[in-house]
């Protein structure tokens, strides 16, 4: 079996660097090309981590049946993004990788992976033990899936349907942390770049968690200015949270007679778009305007300046979703709503408050 030392020799780096890359250490300073070379070399040599080797010895999870017979478990992933859309946002790639990794540990087969290019074929859920529903889905669609598949868990979304398990981060609380921090460091005119939900044919203009928390925080202090809200439009929330929308919405904020001194972007991709708009305007980050975002995707640390962002544990959300399904398959008959903590990572795009 190939070792970390052999991978290090093949790539020309230290064993410690290889270990940190393969364990997804986001604090490691290494070029993206070198990181990719390590990952590809490990895959080519069929390297398995110690945990993976241990899990290889685990028996497959089975579902107890009324007849006392046992059958292997399998699950479906119903994603709200098509594959090409998922690639635009590495955060959701992380959620899916977390699901897949935990399924490998339990030896659970992933039987189907759906995307929204066509309506979900409910017949394909027949015989599926459980389903992970990733992202925003209409309530009617969730209810329809529940009639076919006995166990559903929502990953990165709370549909306000208490009968279903869900796991997510509290983005409202995370937004408040960011705003409190920016306020402490002297930023007073803070703009927001994001999107609005269109769910079940109803437009929820300010219904998204980050957007709602942003408005409430400012209203409580008597400082809300509607012109500082720059929201993109999309038919399915999430699709528009990309570089292009971040760029266009940031441009609208910069065109104001009194521009913001800081921008909070709904995710890192939008922040990257905002960087471009700011640089084209001849402004400097953070001297003229600060930028803060959410997710902490790998590229965030390589921007100029490196992006300050709220780290959301995408892979862990995927792992916990599978753990919740395993509990259901093993007999738990009540729902659980799990909220995972976020972590603010301050880098060069904004002044760091003293509390961090």
């Amino acid at each position: 079996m190939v070792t970390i030392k052999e991978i290090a020799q093949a790539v020309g780096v230290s064993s410690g660097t290889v270990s940190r890359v393969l364990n997804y250490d986001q604090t490691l300073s290494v070029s993206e090309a070198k990181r990719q070379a390590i990952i590809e070399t490990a895959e080519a040599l069929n390297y398995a981590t110690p945990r993976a080797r241990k899990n290889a010895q685990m028996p497959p999870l089975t579902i107890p049946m009324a007849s006392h017979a046992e059958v292997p478990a399998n699950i479906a992933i119903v994603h709200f993004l098509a594959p090409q859309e998922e690639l635009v946002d590495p955060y959701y790639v992380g959620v899916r990788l977390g699901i897949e990794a935990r399924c490998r540990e339990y030896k659970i087969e992933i039987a189907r992976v759906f995307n929204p290019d066509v309506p979900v074929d409910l017949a394909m859920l027949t015989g599926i033990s459980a389903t992970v529903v990733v992202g925003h889905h209409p309530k009617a669609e969730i209810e329809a899936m529940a009639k076919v598949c006995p166990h559903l868990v929502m990953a990165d979304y709370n549909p306000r349907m208490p009968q279903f398990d869900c796991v997510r981060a509290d983005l409202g609380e995370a937004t408040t942390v960011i705003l409190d921090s920016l306020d402490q460091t002297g930023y007073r005119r803070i703009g927001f770049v994001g999107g609005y939900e269109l769910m079940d044919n109803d437009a929820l203009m300010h219904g998204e968690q980050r957007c709602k928390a942003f408005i409430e925080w400012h209203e409580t202090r008597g400082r809300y200015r509607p012109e500082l809200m720059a929201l993109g439009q999309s038919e399915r929330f999430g699709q528009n949270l990309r570089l292009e929308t971040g760029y266009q919405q940031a441009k609208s904020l910069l065109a104001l007679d009194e521009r913001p001194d800081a921008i909070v972007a709904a995710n890192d991709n939008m922040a990257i778009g905002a960087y471009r708009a700011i640089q084209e305007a001849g402004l400097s980050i953070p001297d003229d305007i600060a930028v803060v975002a959410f997710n902490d995707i790998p590229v965030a640390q390589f921007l100029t300046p490196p992006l300050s962002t709220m780290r959301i544990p995408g892979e862990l959300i995927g792992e916990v979703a599978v753990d919740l399904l395993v509990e259901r398959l093993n007999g738990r008959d009540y729902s659980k709503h799990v909220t995972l903590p976020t972590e603010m990572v301050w880098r060069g795009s904004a002044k760091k408050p003293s509390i961090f």
Side-chain angles (χ1 to χ4, degrees), residues 18-33:
V18 172
S19 177
R20 292 174 69 181
V21 168
L22 296 180
N23 283 284
Y24 304 100
D25 185 347
Q26 299 292 336
T27 65
L28 175 64
S29 179
V30 62
S31 71
E32 196 61 29

Side-chain angles (χ1 to χ4, degrees), residues 57-244:
Q57 306 302 317
M58 293 175 59
L61 177 73
T62 57
I63 309 169
M65 305 296 288
S67 63
H68 303 292
E70 293 184 337
V71 296
N74 56 12
I75 73 166
I77 301 175
V78 178
H79 209 304
F80 83 125
L81 296 177
Q84 66 272 20
E85 294 170 335
E86 182 195 58
L87 291 176
V88 173
D89 194 338
Y91 168 74
Y92 282 107
V93 175
V95 174
R96 178 174 53 79
L97 290 177
I99 295 171
E100 294 174 350
R102 190 64 104 212
C103 284
R104 285 194 296 270
E105 293 180 18
Y106 285 117
K107 295 189 180 298
I108 299 174
E109 176 188 357
I110 300 177
R112 299 284 191 274
V113 177
F114 296 102
N115 66 64
D117 286 341
V118 295
V120 174
D121 183 359
L122 297 177
M124 297 180 70
L125 287 176
T126 303
I128 298 297
S129 306
T131 298
V132 179
V133 181
V134 179
H136 294 211
H137 289 260
K139 288 186 177 181
E141 184 173 302
I142 294 172
E143 291 171 345
M145 286 189 284
K147 292 178 180 179
V148 180
C149 184
H151 303 296
L152 301 181
V153 62
M154 312 298 148
D156 196 56
Y157 178 51
N158 181 1
R160 309 298 180 188
M161 302 170 76
Q163 68 269 38
F164 299 115
D165 292 349
C166 73
V167 53
R168 64 187 182 103
D170 189 335
L171 298 183
E173 179 181 353
T175 302
T176 298
V177 169
I178 289 176
L179 294 172
D180 284 343
S181 301
L182 291 174
D183 187 61
Q184 184 197 25
T185 51
Y187 297 105
R188 291 294 180 266
R189 189 170 171 82
I190 305 171
F192 181 85
V193 172
Y196 68 81
E197 278 190 79
L198 183 61
M199 190 64 67
D200 295 325
N201 296 318
D202 291 326
L204 305 176
M205 196 65 185
H206 299 140
E208 196 274 324
Q209 291 181 72
R210 287 157 290 198
C211 179
K212 183 178 180 181
F214 181 91
I215 294 174
E216 290 177 350
W217 187 92
H218 282 86
E219 286 182 336
T220 299
R221 292 158 179 79
R223 290 160 51 183
Y224 178 56
R225 300 292 181 269
E227 69 272 15
L228 293 177
M229 294 289 300
L231 303 181
Q233 178 180 358
S234 71
E235 293 184 357
R236 188 173 63 253
F237 179 73
Q239 281 185 298
N240 69 319
L241 299 189
R242 300 178 179 177
L243 284 69
E244 298 87 350

Side-chain angles (χ1 to χ4, degrees), residues 43-64:
E43 291 177 348
L45 296 177
N46 293 319
Y47 174 77
T49 64
R51 185 171 74 168
R53 292 195 291 270
K54 178 180 179 181
N55 291 333
Q57 306 302 317
M58 293 175 59
L61 177 73
T62 57
I63 309 169

